[in-house]
Amino acid sequence: MLAQAERIDRYCFLPKAPLHLNSRKQTSGLLLLNSLSLDAPLVAISWQHLASRVLAVPISWNEICLLFLSTWLAYAGDRLLDSLQQVAHQTELPRHRFAVKYRRILLLLWIGLFLLTTTLALITVELSELIPASFLVLGIAFYFLLCFLFPRYARIIIPRELVVSGVFVATVLFFPLVHVKVTDLFPLACSLASVLWLLAFMNCLGISCWEQKEDRFAGERTLATTYPALCRWYPALIVVAAVCFGFLLTRSESTLLRPLFVGAFACVILLELIHQAKISPRLKPVLADLSLLAPWISCLLS
């Protein structure tokens, strides 16, 4: 059993610190979830369902599948591009080492799922929805190309954290907003988008702070490597976000938004706990991603 646990550790690139067997298995599972780029798609479809409940619009099976697949393609594609630039840099981040080690398999899988996603979109999505979705995809692809060709400048001019959080929320809300037919729901949609964007940005910024040393060693450009002082200010930013959500919660009269604010408040508190916790920085990103499920869970329980 111990030999098997050690093999799992090597597979997921865990530090060789002594851990209990159950702890090792749980840690390996969490890191494998992140290395396979599955945590972000799970959050994406949960937020899509959250948006459909708040805006009272239906979401079809193909829209759920397309969101899951497109999110995976974006995150896995970004890591594949990073792996091409990190051959000379031995990064210590588990997901990047996973992408470097299994680059060929991931590339073949990425191509296959890209073709599947394209086929599914062409067959099931109406042209009026497909055109704006195509512009969104082209915009993401153009940004990836800029980052690949000019990695030192593209991510300084357009910080990755802003792009990732903005594109993530835009992708999540794409189909729910397409189905919105009542203009009175526009303020509600704006509130929803603002809350989700802030949570996504705080998540991205936290990950940048926790991985600052590894990113600097690998030559990555993030807000944390460009502006190191942000790491000291991150807890204060979380407190500000928590105060804002707490204020909105006490002032909101909308039965649709109150569960969202409760979940958002819980999410930023979880981010603060993760930031302060004395655990491996390699575990913090996946735990932070899972904390983004809090708004969805709050709305389910309401």
Side-chain angles (χ1 to χ4, degrees), residues 124-145:
T124 62
V125 179
E126 296 181 5
L127 184 61
S128 59
E129 301 173 5
L130 196 58
I131 293 176
S134 300
F135 280 110
L136 180 61
V137 171
L138 288 175
I140 297 172
F142 181 69
Y143 176 72
F144 280 166
L145 181 62

Side-chain angles (χ1 to χ4, degrees), residues 38-96:
L38 292 176
D39 46 349
L42 290 175
V43 173
I45 60 175
S46 72
W47 279 13
Q48 185 188 56
H49 183 247
L50 164 66
S52 71
R53 286 174 61 94
V54 172
L55 300 176
V57 293
I59 295 295
S60 60
W61 67 270
N62 64 300
E63 293 168 342
I64 298 173
C65 291
L66 285 172
L67 176 62
F68 187 93
L69 289 170
S70 60
T71 305
W72 186 88
L73 288 171
Y75 277 80
D78 182 51
R79 292 170 188 179
L80 281 171
L81 287 177
D82 285 342
S83 72
L84 295 177
Q85 298 171 336
Q86 290 168 356
V87 175
H89 305 285
Q90 291 298 320
T91 176
E92 293 299 321
L93 295 178
R95 63 180 182 274
H96 287 164

Side-chain angles (χ1 to χ4, degrees), residues 125-204:
V125 179
E126 296 181 5
L127 184 61
S128 59
E129 301 173 5
L130 196 58
I131 293 176
S134 300
F135 280 110
L136 180 61
V137 171
L138 288 175
I140 297 172
F142 181 69
Y143 176 72
F144 280 166
L145 181 62
L146 287 179
C147 291
F148 181 71
L149 296 177
F150 312 103
R152 290 184 173 272
Y153 303 104
R155 288 177 174 171
I156 294 177
I157 299 173
I158 313 175
R160 179 172 64 179
E161 294 82 355
L162 289 175
V163 175
V164 170
S165 56
V167 170
F168 187 81
V169 173
T171 307
V172 164
L173 295 181
F174 179 80
F175 285 118
L177 291 179
V178 163
H179 296 310
V180 171
K181 304 299 181 183
V182 183
T183 55
D184 292 342
L185 289 177
F186 182 73
L188 187 62
C190 289
S191 299
L192 176 63
S194 300
V195 170
L196 294 183
W197 175 82
L198 181 57
L199 293 178
F201 177 73
M202 294 301 295
N203 171 272
C204 292

Side-chain angles (χ1 to χ4, degrees), residues 205-223:
L205 185 58
I207 293 173
S208 296
C209 292
W210 302 325
E211 297 180 345
Q212 182 191 50
K213 293 181 180 179
E214 289 83 358
D215 285 337
R216 186 184 293 117
F217 178 76
E220 288 280 342
R221 289 289 183 173
T222 66
L223 284 176

